[in-house]
Amino acid sequence: LQTTHPYAAVAGAAGPRKIEMLQRVAQGDPKIRMITAETGRGAPRAGGIWQQRVKFRRWCGSILRHDTWSNSHAWTVSDFWLDEGLCDEPGMLTNHEVQQVREEWERVRSQVVMPRFLVVLRDDGPPESAPSSDRVAAEHAALDRQSRQAHVGPVLRWTMSDPQRAAADLLAALQAAAI
């Protein structure tokens, strides 16, 4: 683990609670840099879902490139994981679209810093703000499968039932891994 870049990706539980949690982590240690997916989504979303997935992979490739990575921070944390785009619900994309997204992922993956560890969050927030339970279950299952792939290093699995606790746990994990 010590030969990889000090980078932790946080996947799952999209929304303001995850950003708020990461902001708490960054505020807890000035040596931690935070990158959010919103930076890459500032432009209007043109095209279909698969085109957005491909564009997002390209953006990830530009932000996480090996040759431009700065180790001037103790850690970098992001609210996205490059592999997360491979976790779409079955039927959401056509086979051709899935192939396009996968090809872009494979092209970009070889050029980027991969996380030293991955944090998979589940949002246990109020049900009225959540999508249908079937959709949420399908997303959780897909993310769980993808995060168990052989190329994925240590995975921390937490719920967002207590964002302050999740932030404190992540900060403690980053500080412990820096030793």
Side-chain angles (χ1 to χ4, degrees), residues 17-37:
R17 288 172 19 126
K18 179 164 72 170
I19 299 293
E20 182 182 313
M21 183 203 73
L22 290 176
Q23 287 171 337
R24 287 177 195 260
V25 170
Q27 290 167 355
D29 187 335
K31 295 182 218 145
I32 295 175
R33 173 177 69 148
M34 185 174 92
I35 303 171
T36 68

Side-chain angles (χ1 to χ4, degrees), residues 3-143:
T3 62
T4 61
H5 291 284
Y7 166 48
V10 181
R17 288 172 19 126
K18 179 164 72 170
I19 299 293
E20 182 182 313
M21 183 203 73
L22 290 176
Q23 287 171 337
R24 287 177 195 260
V25 170
Q27 290 167 355
D29 187 335
K31 295 182 218 145
I32 295 175
R33 173 177 69 148
M34 185 174 92
I35 303 171
T36 68
E38 291 307 311
T39 307
R41 294 181 179 153
R45 295 183 183 187
I49 292 172
W50 74 274
Q51 291 166 320
Q52 292 172 25
R53 297 282 193 270
V54 168
K55 288 177 189 174
F56 186 67
R57 294 295 152 271
R58 288 182 185 145
W59 176 80
C60 287
S62 69
I63 295 296
L64 302 175
R65 288 181 60 90
H66 284 288
D67 58 355
T68 61
W69 189 261
S70 169
N71 277 332
S72 61
H73 295 85
W75 277 93
T76 297
V77 294
S78 69
D79 71 336
F80 60 88
W81 176 41
L82 182 68
D83 293 18
E84 201 166 359
L86 301 175
C87 300
D88 289 317
E89 301 174 50
M92 191 170 179
L93 303 175
T94 67
N95 288 340
H96 173 72
E97 292 167 343
V98 169
Q99 185 60 33
Q100 294 291 315
V101 170
R102 186 163 287 282
E103 285 174 8
E104 185 63 21
W105 172 78
E106 288 172 359
R107 187 190 69 74
V108 169
R109 187 172 185 281
S110 65
Q111 301 169 9
V112 300
V113 170
M114 297 308 286
R116 185 173 290 178
F117 63 85
L118 172 67
V119 177
V120 176
L121 295 175
R122 291 195 182 213
D123 193 348
D124 294 339
E128 63 274 1
S129 66
S132 77
S133 59
D134 289 344
R135 180 173 159 218
V136 170
E139 289 172 358
H140 285 262
L143 183 57

Side-chain angles (χ1 to χ4, degrees), residues 148-161:
R148 293 181 190 280
Q149 297 294 313
H151 67 274
V152 179
V155 179
L156 307 172
R157 297 178 193 282
W158 294 325
T159 66
M160 286 293 290
S161 57

